[in-house]
Structures are given as structure tokens and as C-alpha cells.
Amino acid sequence: MQDRHPIHHITDQITLVVLGVNIWSGRKKLRPEDLKLGTEIPPEDLVSLGSKRICNPEALKEFHRLKKVGERACLHLGTRFLGGFAVPNCHAESLADKLETVKAAFDAETQTFLSGYDQALEEWISSLPAWEEPIRRAIEPANVVGGRLRFGFQLVQIAPADQPGTLEQEVNGLGDGIFAEVEQMARELDESFEGKEKLHRRALGTFRRIREKLACLSFIDQRIAPVVDTIDDWFARVPLEGPIEGAIFNEGMGLALLLGDSKRMARHGAGQRAMQTGETMPEHDEETGAVTLDEAPVVAETAAPPAPELSFDEELDVIFGAESVTSDTPQAAETTDDLPRALPAVEEKEEEVLAVDDGGGFFF
């Protein structure tokens, strides 16, 4: 029997989640006659005229928001991988439930959008009377537009083939990708510390989400667990009530700086791991921060941590922007081995809905 590929201990523990989201752009190619440029029209090799909006972009923002919600759900306990998201097997089923909820919301929004499509077009045209003719020329029927609005997702088990190509490099790079994603998450902490003397308890939710993501994915790369330990050490000394100030505030700022730098996290994790095991500190590239793969403990033979025991409604709150664990749900921390036993209370934060700019050139 042929030996299994050495990366099987990672691929065996992950599910690849692929999102297939199509959103109608609401645009059509801008034509020279639309701009009434006459005979002096620059050649296409020189100028690209871009596109024109035939629909109010505000009507499409909810679709883009729901796409982001789906991506955030995948990134909550997963990481980007092979054009999709690598999620621990133990979290795949609950993630599928969440994505099914997002899909239902997307489908409902599609029906709402299509039912008011004709009226919305007329309102858009009436707001731009001088451009009625080029807009009407580009209008597409509602059934055609409906075919371009879709939210789908696929969950796939993967395994390396006899000739896996560059799959091993992709798997070995997962740890650095996780650190990069945490770096993005940690940017939320900047305003919590800069110019402040006390830490708002609301910021603890960001620390907690980072900690939860790292703990769930720690089986992928042995450099991750020491970073989790560092977060736990700080959390253990944060007061459960009252202000977060003084030395513990300064330590929190240092932790935020660590989490806000993917290269520093990788070096810290590798260094702490080397100290724990008595190994030589692995070398890293000074420019990229990447740890030398043939010397670093890139992956571990450990199993993924168990799924957090949150109710379905609480998990949905995580997707739609609420804090992952709050003081109102202490049972979540008490029943999950990989979470700190007593985390400080977190104040609820109202999420801002980001405006989506779908780009383009000339538009109306």
C-alpha cells in the first residue's frame, strides 16, 4: 500500500468551503453615442469609455452586504485556501447552517428586488432625464437580471493526489495566511488604545474573536498555539469588572501591536515554540517574515479543537456582527475547553454597514 502524502494530517481535518456569489453589476458598456461626442471619437486602443449605471446602485448594496456576511462567516473560524475557505471539519456543519441562512436572506432580497425592478428603473431614469435614451437602450428584462443574482456554497473534502502539484506549498502557507487575517482583524484595536489611558470593554470582543479563530485553527501550524497562550495570559489578568487601565492597559496595547503585525506574530510563535520544546529558533526571512519551512515546525499532528458550544442564534449573532461570547452567555466559555474560563464582560457594539463601491469608469 502506498504511503499517504505527508500533508494528509492537515487536509484530513479541513473542509474546503467555496462560495459562489453572483451579483448583477447594474451596469452596461458605455457607448460613444451615449456621450454625444460627434465624429471626434478616440480609438478604443487609446481610450476605454467604461460603463454606465442603468440602475440605482443603492438597490444592490444589500446583495454586496450579504456576500460580505457569508465571507465573514467563513473567516470566523476558517482561513482562505484554494480560492475558498479551509474550515475545521468539526465546524463545517454549523457553518453550512449559517450559510444556508445567508442564502435564504439573499434569495428573499432577490425576489424583493425583482418585484420592484421596473419601478426602480423608472425612478432612476426620472432622476436623470437628460440621459433617458442611453439608459433605456441598455435595460435588461427582469428575468435576465434575476439569473445574475445567486448565492451558492459548496463544502468539499480534499485529499492530495499522487502528484499533488503545489498543494504542499499551499498547505504550508496556511499559517502565514491565518496570521495575515488576524492582522486585519487587529486593526479594529488601533482606536481603542491610541491616545487613551483606559481600554473600553467593547474592545475585548475583538481580542476574543481573534483568540477564538486562532485556537480553532491552531492544529494547522504550531506557531499559532503560543500566540493563543499569550492572549490567554493577558485575559487571565484583565479585571472582570471595572476599568482596564495602568499596567494591564499597557500590556494590552503591546498585545494589540503583536496581533497587528503578522510577521511579528509568526516570529513570536516560532520563538515561544522553540523555547517550549528546546529546539533551535527557526530562521526567518527578514523581509517577508516567513519561517524557513525545512526547519520550522509548520504543522502539528493534533486534532482541531471542538466546536464552541454556542446556540444557533448566538452563532448567527457572530455572523451578523454581534460579539462572539458576551457576559450574558457565560456557559459558552465554561463548556469549551479551548476558551478561557472567565473572560471579562464585553459591551455590545453596533456594527456599521459599509457602503460598497462597485467601481467602473464613466457612469451616470
Side-chain angles (χ1 to χ4, degrees):
M1 179 177 177
Q2 186 176 4
D3 291 338
R4 302 181 72 194
H5 197 281
I7 60 174
H8 73 85
H9 54 275
I10 296 296
T11 57
D12 282 357
Q13 296 186 72
I14 61 176
T15 298
L16 181 65
V17 181
V18 180
L19 296 182
V21 184
N22 299 328
I23 301 176
W24 180 56
S25 68
R27 295 169 177 263
K28 295 290 285 186
K29 183 178 179 180
L30 190 62
R31 300 180 179 277
E33 57 267 28
D34 294 337
L35 296 177
K36 304 175 182 178
L37 296 177
T39 58
E40 296 297 327
I41 302 175
E44 290 187 2
D45 291 343
L46 175 64
V47 175
S48 174
L49 293 179
S51 62
K52 56 190 174 187
R53 286 179 171 150
I54 61 173
C55 174
N56 190 337
E58 291 293 325
L60 299 171
K61 281 188 175 181
E62 181 63 11
F63 295 110
H64 290 279
R65 190 190 74 84
L66 289 171
K67 179 182 178 181
K68 291 292 185 184
V69 167
E71 292 174 347
R72 286 204 312 273
C74 294
L75 286 171
H76 173 53
L77 299 177
T79 185
R80 296 187 185 279
F81 182 55
L82 299 181
F85 303 87
V87 178
N89 290 339
C90 56
H91 299 298
E93 185 175 350
S94 62
L95 175 59
D97 290 338
K98 297 177 180 65
L99 293 177
E100 193 62 51
T101 300
V102 180
K103 172 177 167 53
F106 192 99
D107 292 344
E109 181 64 23
T110 298
Q111 294 304 314
T112 300
F113 174 77
L114 294 178
S115 64
Y117 176 72
D118 292 335
Q119 181 180 349
L121 288 181
E122 293 302 323
E123 292 174 356
W124 181 243
I125 291 172
S126 65
S127 69
L128 299 163
W131 305 99
E132 177 177 358
E133 184 179 346
I135 294 175
R136 288 196 182 280
R137 272 201 304 266
I139 287 178
E140 296 182 298
N143 64 320
V144 174
V145 172
R148 296 175 183 171
L149 292 167
R150 175 182 176 271
F151 187 101
F153 61 95
Q154 300 83 41
L155 277 67
V156 182
Q157 295 288 337
I158 63 173
D162 292 339
Q163 297 294 334
T166 61
L167 181 60
E168 184 171 4
Q169 291 94 311
E170 297 289 342
V171 171
N172 287 343
L174 280 172
D176 289 329
I178 293 168
F179 288 137
E181 291 164 359
V182 168
E183 177 182 310
Q184 293 291 322
M185 296 171 68
R187 290 182 179 179
E188 297 179 14
L189 296 170
D190 291 346
E191 294 183 0
S192 298
F193 287 97
E194 292 178 355
K196 307 288 178 59
E197 296 181 350
K198 298 180 181 180
L199 179 64
H200 200 296
R201 305 195 75 86
R202 184 173 58 196
L204 297 181
T206 301
F207 280 113
R208 185 176 290 117
R209 288 192 295 273
I210 289 173
R211 194 262 177 212
E212 188 177 13
K213 178 185 178 81
L214 288 173
C216 289
L217 297 171
S218 60
F219 69 96
I220 287 177
D221 190 316
Q222 290 183 352
R223 295 173 295 170
I224 295 176
V227 179
V228 176
D229 293 340
T230 300
I231 299 173
D232 288 349
D233 178 68
W234 181 72
F235 259 129
R237 290 176 289 110
V238 172
L240 296 178
E241 297 179 351
I244 303 171
E245 56 188 347
I248 198 68
F249 171 88
N250 293 332
E251 289 182 36
M253 180 182 293
L255 179 58
L257 291 174
L258 172 67
L259 299 175
D261 187 328
S262 60
K263 298 175 185 177
R264 185 177 297 173
M265 267 188 291
R267 293 195 296 268
H268 173 77
Q272 290 295 307
R273 172 69 181 173
M275 290 176 59
Q276 293 169 3
T277 60
E279 299 172 353
T280 303
M281 173 69 175
E283 297 179 1
H284 67 273
D285 188 301
E286 291 294 340
E287 293 186 1
T288 66
V291 178
T292 305
L293 293 180
D294 58 355
E295 297 184 14
V298 177
V299 293
E301 293 279 359
T302 56
E309 296 182 9
L310 299 177
S311 70
F312 182 68
D313 288 340
E314 289 167 342
E315 289 287 352
L316 285 181
D317 286 342
V318 173
I319 301 179
F320 287 98
E323 305 299 352
S324 57
V325 182
T326 70
S327 57
D328 293 331
T329 57
Q331 72 278 9
E334 294 173 359
T335 57
T336 306
D337 293 337
D338 67 317
L339 290 176
R341 281 292 183 259
L343 295 182
V346 180
E347 295 185 9
E348 293 295 334
K349 178 180 180 181
E350 185 173 324
E351 180 186 5
E352 295 181 0
V353 177
L354 298 178
V356 177
D357 183 1
D358 52 1
F362 289 88
F363 58 85
F364 299 135

